[in-house]
Amino acid sequence: RFTPMSGQDQTGPIPYDPQEPVASQVLSSFHQSLMNLHPAETAPSSSSEPYIDSYLLHSPLNSLEATLEAWRVLEGLVDRGLVRRIGLSNVYDPQIFKALFSAARIKPSILQNRWHFSTGHDREEGEEEEARGITYQPFWSLTGNPRLLVSPPVQDIAVRRKLTSAQVVYGFIKQGMGIPGLEAAVLCGTTDETHMREAVEVASRAEGTWEEAELEMVRKEVYGE
C-alpha cells in the first residue's frame, strides 16, 4: 500500500521523499515494495518480470485532487503490467469513494476497511452500486467485534456446526455478510498456526456455507435490523 505522510510512522524509514510531488512519492514507495517482495527477480540478471498482485492507497490523501493524482499513478502501474489490481483502504466516507470511482479510468477493484460498529460496519459502502465488482476486504473483524463473537446467533451456529466463533464470523464475511451481490474476502491477522488453519478452512469453502436463515441471524446481530 502507498501510505501518505499522515499515516506514516515517522520514527522509522519512509520509502519516499515527502518533499517530492505526490506522483513521485507513490512511484518511490511502490518500487521499494517491489524490491522487498521480489529481491531476486529485481536483480539485473533476472529474466522474469516482477509484479505485485494488488496495490492500494492506504487512505485518501489530504484532498480529492491529491488522491486522484496518486490514483493515476496506480493506473499507470496497471498499464505497465507491474500491478494486477488496484484499490483503496480506510475509506469511510461514501462520497469520497463515489467521487474517486467516478473519476477513475481504471476503477477500484478492492476496498479494504476496518469492520467495526463505529463505521456502521460499512453497510452504506457495501450497498452502493459502485461496490458491485469490488472485493470488500474487512480487517479488524474479530478484534473490533468482541460482542459479535459471543452473541447468541454466532454461538448457536458455532455449536450446531462444530466451529469456533471466529470461523462463524469469517464464514459470514466470506458470503458477503448477507448483502446481495457483495463479494468479500477474509483477512486474518493471526500469528497462531491453528487459528490460521481454521480461517483458511472456512474461507476456502464453496458459496452457500451458511443457510439463508443463519446469514439473516448474524446480519441482524451486526446491523440491528
Side-chain angles (χ1 to χ4, degrees):
R1 299 186 288 186
F2 168 73
T3 304
M5 283 300 297
S6 59
Q8 286 283 351
D9 177 3
Q10 299 184 34
T11 63
I14 297 172
Y16 55 81
D17 182 349
Q19 302 303 316
E20 290 288 323
V22 169
S24 298
Q25 293 179 25
V26 177
L27 281 175
S28 295
S29 183
F30 170 78
H31 284 295
Q32 184 64 56
S33 295
L34 194 65
M35 290 180 65
N36 291 342
L37 293 168
H38 295 274
E41 288 82 350
T42 52
S45 60
S46 174
S47 59
S48 62
E49 289 292 336
Y51 67 90
I52 292 178
D53 289 296
S54 64
Y55 198 68
L56 314 181
L57 297 184
H58 197 156
S59 66
L61 280 68
N62 57 10
S63 70
L64 180 59
E65 181 182 6
T67 303
L68 290 174
E69 182 180 354
W71 188 259
R72 284 191 285 271
V73 177
L74 268 59
E75 291 175 327
L77 294 173
V78 173
D79 292 336
R80 293 164 57 190
L82 295 173
V83 174
R84 297 296 187 261
R85 301 178 69 186
I86 53 178
L88 304 158
S89 182
N90 295 299
V91 183
Y92 303 105
D93 183 345
Q95 296 308 310
I96 294 177
F97 180 68
K98 289 171 71 72
L100 190 143
F101 191 94
S102 176
R105 175 173 59 86
I106 299 177
K107 307 301 182 185
S109 63
I110 296 171
L111 175 61
Q112 189 179 100
N113 274 356
R114 179 179 282 115
W115 196 58
H116 189 245
F117 73 90
S118 66
T119 63
H121 287 97
D122 276 353
R123 174 179 175 177
E124 191 171 349
E125 281 89 339
E127 293 179 342
E128 291 285 350
E129 186 64 31
E130 290 84 355
R132 304 304 178 261
I134 288 181
T135 300
Y136 177 59
Q137 298 179 341
F139 63 92
W140 222 42
S141 51
L142 301 184
T143 304
N145 297 279
R147 292 184 180 180
L148 179 61
L149 288 167
V150 298
S151 66
V154 170
Q155 291 291 304
D156 178 67
I157 296 171
V159 170
R160 285 191 290 106
R161 292 185 174 271
K162 297 181 180 179
L163 297 170
T164 67
S165 297
Q167 285 180 304
V168 173
V169 173
Y170 283 148
F172 175 70
I173 290 170
K174 180 65 167 61
Q175 286 186 246
M177 299 169 289
I179 300 176
L182 180 65
E183 178 185 345
V186 171
L187 297 184
C188 176
T190 185
T191 57
D192 183 284
E193 184 176 349
T194 298
H195 294 164
M196 289 181 195
R197 292 183 182 280
E198 290 171 348
V200 169
E201 177 192 348
V202 74
S204 301
R205 293 180 180 181
E207 292 297 325
T209 300
W210 308 147
E211 297 173 1
E212 193 61 38
E214 293 174 317
L215 282 173
E216 187 62 22
M217 285 169 55
V218 181
R219 180 177 169 81
K220 285 182 178 180
E221 187 68 30
V222 173
Y223 296 109
E225 297 175 348

